[in-house]
Amino acid sequence: MGTPTATDAGTQASGDTPATGPHATAAQAATAGESSPGPGGAPAAKVALVGVHGFGTHHLRNLGRLQTAGVVDLVAVADPNPPAAGSVPETAHVFPGLAELLAETTGLDLIIVATPIQTHAPLGLAALATDADLYLEKPPVASLADFNRLADAAAASGRSVQIGFQSLGSHALAAVEKLLADGTIGTLQGISATGRWVRDRAYYKRSRWAGRRTIDGVDVVDGVATNPLAHAVATALRIAGARTTADIASLETELYRSNQIESDDTSVIRIRTRTGLPITCALTLCATESVEPYVTLQGSAGTAVFHYTEDRLTVETGKGRTEEVFGRDDLTENLLAHRSNGTPLLSPLLDSGAFMLVLEAIRTAPLPAPIDGEYVQWEGEGDSAHAVVAGIEDALERSGAQHATFSELGLPWAASAPHVFSLPGS
């Protein structure tokens, strides 16, 4: 099968669409030559963006900021659905897919892929066959086998790959490392990640891959822990020092769903690192209301709570309570700095290995157990209606605090049981 085009990231895909309007011609894109100098006289990095809808709109805004600063030159974008008028520079050429973009565009420094999960592997591999570095949105790919293929391709090409776990750019992570090293909360005994968000029926109708485990035999794995609240899992793993596949000693899943979908929307993932540290991720998209997710560090002399979407760190010990909001490094800028002066990547591909074990455990687990309708209340009307699992807020807190699954807590709707994932090589 050939390299697929960039499919929609939240809107319905259309057929191949020729460039229209005031954008550069293909010949101009292919012969753009050196970009204008950026700050300090360095040439701006030539960038292509694959996927301009959904989260791609975030990248468009960020690239616009960086282009204004003279750091990048967005020379081309690819998406079967044309970008909104005025959303890309007039000098950028619009292509229906990455294959067409690469056929007519040379000299790229960076390719950003922000497309649906099931396209990440083929598009990432196609990008690594060029001389450009790669920024790949999370989750990296939809299976551990694809992750290994991508890692092999990156190693063979010598190109750098940054994975879009934006929370890993938070300066709060360095503060967490310091408080652990200083013994501020005593000995670290466990980590929990808690996420309670609301997603309505429309969320699962926004694209044909939403809430799917597979499409036409192709892995998607669009579940609560692998996509909407993937940062909760990735951040907890990073704080625990679990980066690669070798850092995980055991992994269990307990998956449920209230919505009429294939994937899980309410789940517990229980992990133990090679150092023996327990990590429990209790997550739902069926809460009463959306609350900023957080990672809790459970220490022998206190706790630290990191609200990663806000870069906010709260520490409570016998000496009292402190709270601080930190800054954050942009992952695109970090990758550009890595290219220019060797600055370490904040979210390199291989450091997603531990997360990919979680995704693989979910991918290969039994189908999510449906939650009996007796314990699900629907709030709102029509496509705006969203499911609320009875007592879910308390269940999430207890799960994280006790490192227990929903069935182990004896919840009346938890009819499943923890599923043990067989680690590779075990």
Side-chain angles (χ1 to χ4, degrees):
M1 188 171 75
T3 302
T5 60
T7 54
D8 68 298
T11 59
Q12 293 200 356
S14 62
D16 289 355
T17 306
T20 57
H23 298 287
T25 66
Q28 287 172 320
T31 60
E34 292 295 326
S35 299
S36 58
K46 293 177 65 175
V47 178
L49 173 63
V50 188
V52 299
H53 300 288
F55 200 75
T57 59
H58 164 82
H59 284 286
L60 279 177
R61 288 192 299 269
N62 194 42
L63 290 170
R65 175 183 67 86
L66 295 175
Q67 182 144 333
T68 298
V71 176
V72 304
D73 181 10
L74 180 58
V75 299
V77 301
D79 199 303
N81 289 332
S87 63
V88 302
E90 292 187 355
T91 53
H93 186 64
V94 178
F95 295 92
L98 179 58
E100 295 86 349
L101 186 155
L102 294 178
E104 301 194 43
T105 311
T106 60
L108 289 171
D109 298 307
L110 173 61
I111 297 173
I112 300 174
V113 174
T115 58
I117 303 166
Q118 69 273 16
T119 68
H120 285 191
L123 293 176
L125 290 170
L128 288 174
T130 73
D131 292 329
D133 289 324
L134 172 64
Y135 183 122
L136 184 61
E137 263 309 324
K138 60 82 184 167
V141 286
S143 72
L144 188 61
D146 278 344
F147 176 77
N148 291 332
R149 278 191 283 270
L150 196 66
D152 289 345
S157 69
R159 309 316 308 169
S160 299
V161 182
Q162 181 98 289
I163 303 301
F165 286 114
Q166 290 83 16
S167 62
L168 302 186
S170 178
H171 299 170
L173 293 178
V176 167
E177 289 183 6
K178 186 176 187 307
L179 74 85
L180 290 176
D182 293 345
T184 303
I185 61 171
T187 302
L188 183 61
Q189 299 175 327
I191 295 175
S192 65
T194 308
R196 53 184 200 263
W197 276 356
V198 169
R199 292 295 182 265
D200 59 19
R201 287 192 175 109
Y203 175 79
Y204 293 107
K205 293 182 177 181
R206 75 193 193 282
S207 60
R208 77 187 196 100
W209 57 268
R212 300 288 296 272
R213 286 168 69 97
T214 63
I215 292 180
D216 300 328
V218 177
D219 290 315
V220 179
V221 202
D222 180 36
V224 60
T226 56
N227 193 10
L229 284 166
H231 281 87
V233 179
T235 306
L237 289 168
R238 173 60 63 88
I239 292 173
R243 298 178 181 234
T244 71
T245 55
D247 293 327
I248 302 300
S250 67
L251 214 169
E252 300 168 89
T253 59
E254 195 172 291
L255 313 179
Y256 297 90
R257 62 170 179 84
S258 293
N259 289 275
Q260 294 300 311
I261 57 176
E262 292 180 351
S263 295
D264 54 312
D265 57 33
T266 302
S267 296
V268 173
I269 297 95
R270 184 165 57 191
I271 306 158
R272 190 169 293 273
T273 71
R274 288 292 178 189
T275 63
L277 186 71
I279 307 169
T280 300
C281 305
L283 313 167
T284 189
L285 301 178
C286 303
T288 304
E289 61 179 356
S290 289
V291 174
E292 294 301 325
Y294 50 94
V295 175
T296 303
L297 286 71
Q298 303 153 341
S300 59
T303 60
V305 180
F306 177 35
H307 288 81
Y308 60 84
T309 61
E310 302 174 325
D311 299 310
R312 177 164 56 92
L313 180 64
T314 304
V315 180
E316 290 196 43
T317 68
K319 297 180 180 179
R321 180 179 186 274
T322 63
E323 184 172 287
E324 185 174 356
V325 177
F326 294 82
R328 178 182 291 201
D329 289 334
D330 175 68
L331 294 188
T332 300
E333 291 183 82
N334 172 248
L335 177 52
L336 293 172
H338 176 74
R339 285 177 49 85
S340 63
N341 58 34
T343 298
L345 289 175
L346 292 168
S347 183
L349 176 64
L350 292 182
D351 280 8
S352 292
F355 174 86
M356 284 304 305
L357 282 184
V358 173
L359 184 146
E360 186 73 0
I362 293 169
R363 185 185 76 85
T364 58
L367 291 173
I371 297 176
D372 192 298
E374 177 184 355
Y375 302 103
V376 179
Q377 179 179 342
W378 286 88
E379 298 187 0
E381 301 292 334
D383 286 349
S384 297
H386 69 274
V388 178
V389 176
I392 190 61
E393 284 78 9
D394 177 66
L396 297 177
E397 291 294 331
R398 290 171 59 200
S399 174
Q402 300 176 35
H403 295 283
T405 68
F406 296 139
S407 64
E408 291 169 346
L409 292 174
L411 301 178
W413 49 263
S416 188
H419 178 75
V420 178
F421 174 62
S422 295
L423 294 168
S426 61

